[in-house]
Amino acid sequence: MPIDPRTSITTPVTQLLGIDYPILLAPMDLVADGRLVVAVDAAGGFGILGGGYGEENWLVRELDVLDRSKARFGVGFITWSLAKQPRLLDLALERRPVAVMLSFGSPVPFIDRIKRTAAIVICQVQSAALAKEAAAAGADILVAQGTEAGGHGAARGLVTLVPEIVDALGGRKPVVAAGGIADGRGLAAALMLGAAGVLMGTRFYASQEAAGPQGAKERICEATGDDTLRSIVFDIFRRNVWPAPFTGRCLRNAHADRWFGLEIELMRHLDEESAKYAAARHAGDFDIAAVIAGEAVGLIHDIPSAHDVIERVVREASALLTRWSS
Amino acid sequence: MPIDPRTSITTPVTQLLGIDYPILLAPMDLVADGRLVVAVDAAGGFGILGGGYGEENWLVRELDVLDRSKARFGVGFITWSLAKQPRLLDLALERRPVAVMLSFGSPVPFIDRIKRTAAIVICQVQSAALAKEAAAAGADILVAQGTEAGGHGAARGLVTLVPEIVDALGGRKPVVAAGGIADGRGLAAALMLGAAGVLMGTRFYASQEAAGPQGAKERICEATGDDTLRSIVFDIFRRNVWPAPFTGRCLRNAHADRWFGLEIELMRHLDEESAKYAAARHAGDFDIAAVIAGEAVGLIHDIPSAHDVIERVVREASALLTRWSS
C-alpha cells in the first residue's frame, strides 16, 4: 500500500522488485537486520539484509525473522567474503529472497547459482569498468555507488558515475544510485541522472529500527558532511584492510585524525592499537571506534522510524519532480 | 535571446547575473579566454574569464577582447594567488565585470573592494565550513565544487555538498553546483539538489572556442570517468603543490601512474622530472603532461561550439524537468 496514492514514483526498479517506491535499504553489515528489512518493506521500499562478512549464526537468525514476517526481501553479500564461505549463499537462497545483492569484486562465481532460483541479481559497482563487467555477467540491476557512501567504496563521485553507467548499459539494465542520498532531493536528483531508484545506508542507520548503537546514531545526527573520512585507517585498526581500490568512509574522530597519513607507522603498533580499538568498539567509545557512515550525515538530523524516512523522501521527491512543470 | 523560448529555466542566478540560462563557464586558467567567454555569453550563459594564477599580460589582452565584444562577463581568480598580486583585481574591476569569482582560500581580503563596484561576488567553496565562511564574508553566490571537478578541488562529493550548503545558508544565497556536470541530466539533478545553476569546466574545455590544445580536447573525448586521478603528482611535476586539502584532478596517463603513490621519491628527482614535464607540456605530449579535466570526461564525446553545448544542456534539462509532471 503506497504511503500516499498521489505520490507515485514508478520506475523499472519498482516494477522489477514489486515495490511501491524506488528506495532500497543498503545491506549494511549487521546494522541492516531482519527488523529493519521488515520495516522498510512495510513502508513500500525494498529491504536488503546485511549479510556482510558472513556470520552464519546471525544470518540464519535474521533469515528466520524474515521468514516469519512474510516480507519481500533481499540478501546482500560482500562478494570476496562470500567466496570464502560460499555455502552462505545457499542458506540465503533456500529462504526465497526476491533478490540477492553482491557488492565489491567479481559477481561471476555466484550469478549462475542465483539465477537458477527466481531471485533477481543486484550488483553494486564503483566504476564504469566494473559496471560493464557486472552487466556482462548477467546482473539484473546495477547499483552505482559513489565515493560519498559510508563504509567501503571507491573514488568515483555519484554525479558522474550514474549517468556514465546508464549510458554504458544503453538502457538495458536499470541503475540505482547509492552514496550520499538521504532525502527527497537526492532521490529526485538520482532520477534526473538516469537512475531508476536509490539505495540508502546512512539515512537508515539513523532510524529507530536499525541494529546499531544509539551512540553511533546520535553521532550521525550531530556530524556535518565535512566530518567523514575515506581511508584505510579504520580497516587497519580492525585488521581488515581491503584490496585496492576499496577504502572505508567513517566519521572522523580524534583517534582516526591522529593516525591518518601515518598508516605505515600504525602498522608497527598494530597489536596494541587493534586491541584498543576492539575494546572501544565493545564499549561504544566512538572517540576511538568508527561510526561507519557516509557524507550524507550532513543531511541527517534525527532518528525517525524507517517508515517516516521513506515517507519523507517520497513526499519531498514527488514535490520536486512536479515543481518545474508549471 | 534564449535558444528556445519554450525552454525557460529561471532561477535566482539567472536573475542576479542577467542571463538566459543558469549555466556558468568555469574560469579555467588560460583555457577560459575572452573568446570562449564571449561565446558563452552569446549563447545565454555566463562566461567567467580564467584569471587563474594571474598572468598580467594575458589578463589585459583578454579583458581587451571582452571590452570590444560588449559581452556580459565575470573574471575568476585563485584567491591565494591573487593575494600575491592584488593589483590584478583592480585591473579587472576597471573593466566593469558583472561578477568576480574567487576560488580557494579566504575571500575576505578582496570582498570589500569588489563590493565597492557594482560587481557580484561569486565564491567557490569545497566544504560546508568554507561555504559558511564565504557567506558570512559577503559572497552573493556560492559555487559548491564537488570532488568530481577537474583541476584543483577537495574531497566532498557534489551530491551531498550542494544540499548541505543550501541548508546551511537557509536559502539566503543562491548556490551553483560545480564538478562533474556536462549535460542536461547534471543541470536537472543540480536543480533538484537545491542549486540555482551549474558551473561547467571540462565540458567547455572540449568546445571549439576553448583556448586549449586540440590534443587535450581529443583526450577528453576519448577518456572514461574512471580515467581521472585526484592527486598532487601533477602539481609536483609543475612545482606548484597547493596547500591541503587541495589536490588536482587530471586525466591519468602513463607518467602519472608511474609516480602516483611515490610522491616522496618523486621529490628526490624533481629537477629532472619537472624539466621533462615542462618540455612535454610545450610539445603537447599528453602521455607526460597533464590534461586538466574532471570525471565528466566520461560524458563528453565531441567538441561542439559553446553555443551547442549550452543548447544541448538546456534542451535536455528542460525535457527532464517536465517529464515527471504527467
Side-chain angles (χ1 to χ4, degrees):
Chain A
M1 173 73 73
I3 284 167
D4 177 342
R6 289 166 301 181
T7 54
S8 167
I9 304 179
T10 302
T11 75
V13 162
T14 58
Q15 294 166 331
L16 207 48
L17 295 175
I19 52 179
D20 293 323
Y21 303 115
I23 298 173
L24 283 62
L25 165 68
M28 296 174 281
D29 185 42
L30 307 184
V31 171
D33 69 355
R35 181 178 173 223
L36 180 56
V37 168
V38 169
V40 167
D41 173 71
F46 188 70
I48 307 177
L49 191 66
Y53 293 105
E55 295 194 16
E56 182 169 336
N57 290 341
W58 184 92
L59 185 67
V60 169
R61 189 184 73 208
E62 300 304 323
L63 286 168
D64 285 344
V65 170
L66 292 170
D67 256 354
R68 287 193 296 271
S69 75
K70 311 291 179 202
R72 298 175 70 76
F73 68 93
V75 182
F77 291 105
I78 296 168
T79 311
W80 61 257
S81 184
L82 186 60
K84 294 191 276 185
Q85 309 170 78
R87 59 187 296 275
L88 296 184
L89 180 58
D90 296 319
L91 283 180
L93 289 172
E94 282 166 13
R95 307 304 183 99
R96 302 265 163 211
V98 171
V100 173
M101 176 164 161
L102 303 171
S103 301
F104 314 110
S106 175
V108 170
F110 309 106
I111 282 191
D112 283 349
R113 264 163 72 205
I114 302 168
K115 293 225 158 199
R116 280 200 293 271
T117 72
I120 290 160
V121 178
I122 305 174
C123 288
Q124 180 167 260
V125 297
Q126 295 76 26
S127 67
L130 288 170
K132 286 176 205 166
E133 182 189 345
D140 299 303
I141 296 173
L142 278 287
V143 176
Q145 185 199 32
T147 190
E148 299 88 343
H152 287 93
R156 291 286 311 266
L158 190 69
V159 82
T160 64
L161 187 62
V162 169
E164 188 172 346
I165 291 178
V166 168
D167 290 346
L169 303 186
R172 290 184 302 276
K173 317 254 187 183
V175 176
V176 168
I181 293 175
D183 58 24
R185 293 176 292 190
L187 171 55
L191 295 173
M192 292 292 148
L193 293 172
V198 294
L199 177 135
M200 303 196 300
T202 307
R203 175 62 278 191
F204 282 118
Y205 194 143
S207 73
Q208 288 168 19
E209 293 90 345
Q214 181 70 16
K217 296 179 184 180
E218 288 168 4
R219 294 224 176 193
I220 287 171
C221 295
E222 291 157 10
T224 81
D226 297 346
D227 297 332
T228 77
L229 185 64
R230 180 167 283 294
S231 77
I232 62 166
V233 172
F234 289 109
D235 282 348
I236 297 175
F237 291 145
R238 296 192 300 170
R239 295 179 177 270
N240 180 35
V241 176
W242 284 35
F246 301 113
T247 53
R249 186 180 295 284
C250 302
L251 291 189
R252 297 174 68 141
N253 60 23
H255 200 59
D257 283 346
R258 177 181 161 203
W259 287 109
F260 182 64
L262 301 174
E263 288 80 1
I264 291 168
E265 178 68 7
L266 172 57
M267 299 294 275
R268 291 183 50 224
H269 300 271
L270 188 55
D271 285 344
E272 178 192 339
E273 289 298 328
S274 65
K276 188 198 288 184
Y277 186 86
R281 200 176 178 186
H282 185 72
D285 175 1
F286 296 112
D287 287 333
I288 294 176
V291 174
I292 301 175
E295 287 188 356
V297 290
L299 307 171
I300 295 170
H301 312 295
D302 61 358
I303 307 171
S305 67
H307 176 279
D308 287 355
V309 167
I310 291 176
E311 180 172 31
R312 287 184 202 172
V313 170
V314 169
R315 284 193 196 281
E316 186 180 22
S318 296
L320 287 168
L321 290 169
T322 53
R323 178 178 163 193
W324 286 85
S325 57
S326 54
Chain B
M1 172 72 74
I3 284 166
D4 178 342
R6 289 165 302 181
T7 54
S8 168
I9 304 178
T10 302
T11 74
V13 162
T14 59
Q15 294 167 331
L16 207 49
L17 296 174
I19 53 179
D20 292 322
Y21 304 115
I23 299 173
L24 283 62
L25 165 67
M28 295 174 283
D29 185 43
L30 307 183
V31 171
D33 69 355
R35 182 179 173 222
L36 180 55
V37 169
V38 170
V40 168
D41 173 71
F46 188 70
I48 307 177
L49 192 65
Y53 293 106
E55 296 195 15
E56 182 170 335
N57 291 341
W58 184 92
L59 186 65
V60 169
R61 189 184 74 208
E62 300 304 323
L63 286 168
D64 285 344
V65 171
L66 292 171
D67 256 354
R68 286 193 297 272
S69 74
K70 311 292 179 203
R72 297 175 71 76
F73 68 94
V75 182
F77 290 106
I78 296 167
T79 312
W80 62 257
S81 184
L82 186 60
K84 295 192 276 186
Q85 310 170 77
R87 59 186 296 275
L88 295 184
L89 180 57
D90 297 318
L91 282 180
L93 289 172
E94 282 166 12
R95 307 303 183 98
R96 303 264 160 210
V98 170
V100 173
M101 177 164 160
L102 303 172
S103 302
F104 312 110
S106 175
V108 171
F110 308 106
I111 282 192
D112 284 349
R113 267 163 72 204
I114 301 169
K115 292 224 157 199
R116 281 200 293 273
T117 73
I120 289 160
V121 178
I122 304 173
C123 288
Q124 180 167 260
V125 297
Q126 294 76 27
S127 67
L130 288 170
K132 286 176 205 167
E133 182 189 344
D140 300 303
I141 296 172
L142 278 286
V143 176
Q145 185 199 32
T147 191
E148 299 88 343
H152 287 93
R156 291 286 310 266
L158 190 68
V159 82
T160 64
L161 187 61
V162 168
E164 188 172 346
I165 291 179
V166 168
D167 290 345
L169 304 186
R172 291 184 302 276
K173 317 253 186 184
V175 176
V176 169
I181 294 175
D183 59 24
R185 293 176 290 189
L187 171 55
L191 295 173
M192 292 293 148
L193 293 172
V198 295
L199 178 136
M200 302 195 301
T202 306
R203 175 61 278 191
F204 282 119
Y205 194 143
S207 74
Q208 289 169 17
E209 294 91 343
Q214 181 68 16
K217 295 179 185 180
E218 288 168 3
R219 294 224 176 192
I220 287 171
C221 295
E222 291 157 11
T224 81
D226 297 347
D227 297 333
T228 77
L229 185 64
R230 181 166 283 293
S231 77
I232 62 166
V233 172
F234 290 108
D235 282 349
I236 297 174
F237 291 146
R238 297 193 299 171
R239 295 178 177 272
N240 179 35
V241 176
W242 285 34
F246 301 115
T247 53
R249 186 180 295 283
C250 302
L251 291 189
R252 298 173 67 142
N253 59 25
H255 200 58
D257 282 346
R258 179 183 159 200
W259 287 109
F260 182 65
L262 301 174
E263 289 79 0
I264 291 169
E265 177 68 8
L266 173 56
M267 299 294 275
R268 291 183 51 223
H269 299 273
L270 188 56
D271 285 344
E272 179 191 339
E273 288 300 327
S274 65
K276 188 197 288 185
Y277 186 86
R281 201 176 177 186
H282 184 74
D285 175 2
F286 298 111
D287 287 334
I288 294 177
V291 174
I292 301 174
E295 286 188 356
V297 291
L299 307 172
I300 294 170
H301 312 294
D302 61 357
I303 306 171
S305 67
H307 175 279
D308 287 355
V309 166
I310 291 177
E311 181 172 29
R312 287 183 202 172
V313 171
V314 169
R315 284 193 196 282
E316 187 180 22
S318 296
L320 287 169
L321 290 169
T322 53
R323 179 179 162 191
W324 286 85
S325 56
S326 54

